[in-house]
Amino acid sequence: MATFVVLAVVMVVGALGVVLLKQPVHAALSLVGTLLALAVTYVTLEAHFLAAVQVIVYAGAIMVLFLFVLMLLNVQDAGPRRSLPGLRWAAYAAAVVTATAIAVVAFWDGRPAPDPAIVSLHLQGGSAGGIGDALFGELLLAFHLVGVLLLTGVIGAVALVQRRAESAHGAPKGGGLPGGRTAAAGGARALGSGGPR
Amino acid sequence: MAESLLIVFLKALLLAVALLGAFAYMTLIERRILGRMQHRIGPNRTGPFGLLQPIADALKSIFKQDIMPARADKFVFVLAPAISITFALSAFGAIPGGPAGSLFGLDPWVVDLDIGLLYVLAATSMGVYGIFLGGWAANSKYALLGSLRSAAQIISYELGLGLSVLTIIMIAGTLNLREIVEVGVWSVSPWLWPGLAVAFVTFVISGIAEVNRTPFDLPEAEQEIVAGYLTEYSSIKWALFQMAEYVNMFTAAAFMSTLFLGGYKGPAFMNALIPGSADWPIVWLVAKMAIFMFLFIWLRATLPRLRYDQLMRFGWIYLFEVALGAALLTGAVIAFVL
């Protein structure tokens, strides 16, 4: 319990940092700290596989990309911007409602907690085997649907990049480079270190 | 065998000290080998065979002025080398050094995790933050270019690394590094050898890219961007980055040995020469790591650095597809032949 309290404090402070820090890179770092604390929480719950994947995917890959974009564009604190009137208060209200809803579910909902023995039996020591059985067994359809969803996102991103590339250069690129390559070549040009010669 | 927390702590401390000591002498060994390969002598003046050179280098690093760039982000600038060395050292902890209980009755590893393989990948993928943030915090264009290159490179080559590892995971059926060694991936079936051989090559290439060694040392390409992310670092913070780089090399070498070359197990014929010697802890792992360390140095002396676009094209167009092919081939063999 003491471990959880410490981790919870770290996570809440980190999450507040994401929202409140002015420098975008600091905010992103704060998010990395939050994600790591969440991974440690998974470890304390014996969900080792989930913890490792959390670190590899979120902290190791997604946040690195976030920071990459922040640094590449050199995003600075632009100060107050034009926005919809009352947006700030709407955001506050939404935060309060969400927090209340979570608190109600967490503290006042009368459902009994599942038996720890059954939970740990199904977790199978938190390793990949148990999760694999669940994902490729009873949740197979949902798993495949999520795969299709991700593929849709990737195709959408490629389509967006292609259109930008065409309009930026005035003439459509023949042959249709794969998206990854376009992005990589774009990165090379932005860095000014290689690029097509 | 559950060991007390004190023993685990002492073993972790011992491992960290051993890695840092090995780092100091690895710099000397590297400079000597590079010297020989380039027809020069290399450092041989400080002590016999230059053996005191690392100590002289360490003293020099400590006594140099520690410069903080005026417009640097001070907190992140100090945090970055700490992140680098912390995750570099912690990654090695899951790598087993011998069979259970073989180290004077103790287990020759710090932690035996069921997800040891993923743990090593996770810890090394966190290490990129050190390089990345260090370059950004220095507020210098060369350092920033270095860190951007580093991030793009590590993300790209992690795919090749992950796909090569997939071959091993499918054959061994476990993520526990000790069990992977005990299974012995090459002994399962000759049908799996083609996939394994290809995965081994792609894994070694991506591993070298992950530790930023030549020909993938773009983050600190000295002819183009001064010293990349290291440009503004001096004194002990610079030394911490160097330590992290070499410790990462050790981890990569140990990881390659553990996954593909039987890790801590010695060759079987050694048992015929000296009974039981194939089960000696640490010795065989270090011997196999030495092969890879030599390979890293050899490549540095041999190959020119890739250009940025070559690096990206190689990673995404060739390495990724070849590693994916090896994984698919292995999966097909396991599904249809075995």
Side-chain angles (χ1 to χ4, degrees):
Chain A
M1 189 64 194
T3 332
F4 174 74
V5 171
V6 172
L7 286 168
V9 169
V10 172
M11 277 189 279
V12 170
V13 170
L16 286 176
V18 179
V19 183
L20 297 177
L21 285 173
K22 295 282 181 203
Q23 166 65 259
V25 172
H26 289 172
L29 274 185
S30 192
L31 186 51
V32 175
T34 314
L35 293 172
L36 284 183
L38 186 58
V40 178
T41 315
Y42 289 149
V43 173
T44 62
L45 294 172
E46 301 276 304
H48 295 140
F49 178 75
L50 201 56
V53 170
Q54 165 90 7
V55 173
I56 293 174
V57 174
Y58 284 97
I62 293 182
M63 287 314 295
V64 172
L65 276 179
F66 268 47
L67 280 165
F68 184 81
V69 172
L70 286 179
M71 291 182 188
L72 195 65
L73 303 179
N74 200 12
V75 182
Q76 296 295 334
D77 173 32
R81 259 163 291 215
R82 280 185 301 137
S83 64
L84 292 174
L87 193 62
R88 173 180 291 251
W89 294 106
Y92 286 148
V96 168
V97 169
T98 314
T100 317
I102 292 173
V104 166
V105 172
F107 297 112
W108 281 288
D109 191 24
R111 274 180 301 183
D115 188 2
I118 296 174
V119 172
S120 59
L121 182 73
H122 282 276
L123 272 174
Q124 298 174 13
S127 72
I131 293 175
D133 282 344
L135 272 188
F136 295 102
E138 57 179 316
L139 301 175
L140 189 62
L141 181 65
F143 181 75
H144 279 264
L145 287 178
V146 169
V148 172
L149 193 64
L150 287 174
L151 185 66
T152 315
V154 171
I155 294 173
V158 171
L160 283 173
V161 168
Q162 290 289 69
R163 204 174 306 145
R164 295 258 168 75
E166 281 167 20
S167 58
H169 294 295
K173 275 189 181 168
L177 291 169
R181 193 166 164 193
T182 315
R189 272 199 300 282
L191 289 180
S193 57
R197 292 188 178 177
Chain B
M1 184 172 68
E3 292 175 336
S4 73
L5 212 55
L6 181 70
I7 300 267
V8 173
F9 175 75
L10 287 177
K11 281 197 294 193
L13 192 68
L14 191 70
L15 177 69
V17 171
L19 282 174
L20 294 182
F23 146 70
Y25 276 89
M26 202 61 221
T27 58
L28 177 67
I29 295 168
E30 171 158 18
R31 288 167 70 185
R32 295 284 294 190
I33 295 177
L34 274 181
R36 187 55 63 91
M37 286 177 173
Q38 296 165 348
H39 291 274
R40 9 181 219 101
I41 297 170
N44 70 343
R45 294 289 144 185
T46 326
F49 310 107
L51 280 176
L52 297 179
Q53 186 68 42
I55 297 167
D57 286 343
L59 286 175
K60 188 192 78 169
S61 287
I62 292 167
F63 287 116
K64 268 180 128 175
Q65 186 187 1
D66 193 3
I67 298 167
M68 171 73 75
R71 301 200 50 195
D73 187 314
K74 299 203 168 43
F75 176 68
V76 180
F77 194 74
V78 176
L79 182 71
I83 292 177
S84 259
I85 190 69
T86 308
F87 285 107
L89 285 175
S90 48
F92 207 98
I95 291 176
S102 62
L103 190 71
F104 309 113
L106 296 175
D107 297 334
W109 55 74
V110 178
V111 281
D112 180 31
L113 290 169
D114 268 342
I115 48 137
L117 195 153
L118 290 179
Y119 168 82
V120 176
L121 287 182
T124 48
S125 75
M126 289 307 292
V128 62
Y129 278 103
I131 295 177
F132 198 36
L133 293 172
W136 175 79
N139 206 351
S140 138
K141 58 188 167 198
Y142 298 118
L144 185 64
L145 282 175
S147 53
L148 288 176
R149 285 180 177 193
S150 156
Q153 175 175 330
I154 290 195
I155 295 252
S156 309
Y157 281 78
E158 240 167 34
L159 287 170
L161 200 73
L163 283 170
S164 323
V165 166
L166 200 56
T167 306
I168 294 287
I169 299 172
M170 280 192 288
I171 296 173
T174 173
L175 294 168
N176 185 320
L177 291 173
R178 187 175 48 78
E179 285 170 18
I180 289 175
V181 172
E182 291 299 332
V183 166
V185 284
W186 293 91
S187 64
V188 175
S189 159
W191 289 99
L192 295 168
W193 289 356
L196 265 175
V198 174
F200 179 50
V201 173
T202 52
F203 186 80
V204 170
I205 294 174
S206 344
I208 295 169
E210 289 281 305
V211 294
N212 296 327
R213 290 287 297 187
T214 323
F216 303 106
D217 60 342
L218 283 95
E220 45 184 312
E222 67 267 24
Q223 292 88 347
E224 309 162 23
I225 51 173
V226 191
Y229 67 97
L230 285 169
T231 305
E232 303 292 338
Y233 279 95
S234 59
S235 183
I236 199 70
K237 292 206 219 44
W238 177 84
L240 281 175
F241 271 124
Q242 290 294 315
M243 276 180 207
E245 186 180 327
Y246 275 86
V247 173
N248 279 331
M249 278 164 66
F250 289 132
T251 310
F255 203 37
M256 290 166 191
S257 320
T258 301
L259 292 182
F260 287 95
L261 296 189
Y264 55 75
K265 277 201 232 166
F269 65 83
M270 283 306 292
N271 272 335
L273 297 176
I274 312 169
S277 63
D279 284 334
W280 285 345
I282 318 282
V283 180
W284 299 111
L285 183 65
V286 170
K288 289 167 186 174
M289 280 167 64
I291 298 172
F292 285 109
M293 297 305 287
F294 183 78
L295 177 74
F296 296 162
I297 297 169
W298 190 8
L299 287 176
R300 179 174 167 185
T302 310
L303 294 176
R305 181 182 307 125
L306 292 176
R307 244 181 15 235
Y308 186 82
D309 58 325
Q310 291 172 328
L311 174 93
M312 283 298 156
R313 192 174 307 127
F314 180 71
W316 286 96
I317 310 272
Y318 301 108
L319 195 72
F320 177 71
E321 268 75 359
V322 171
L324 185 64
L328 288 177
L329 175 69
T330 310
V333 168
I334 291 173
F336 301 120
V337 180
L338 300 184

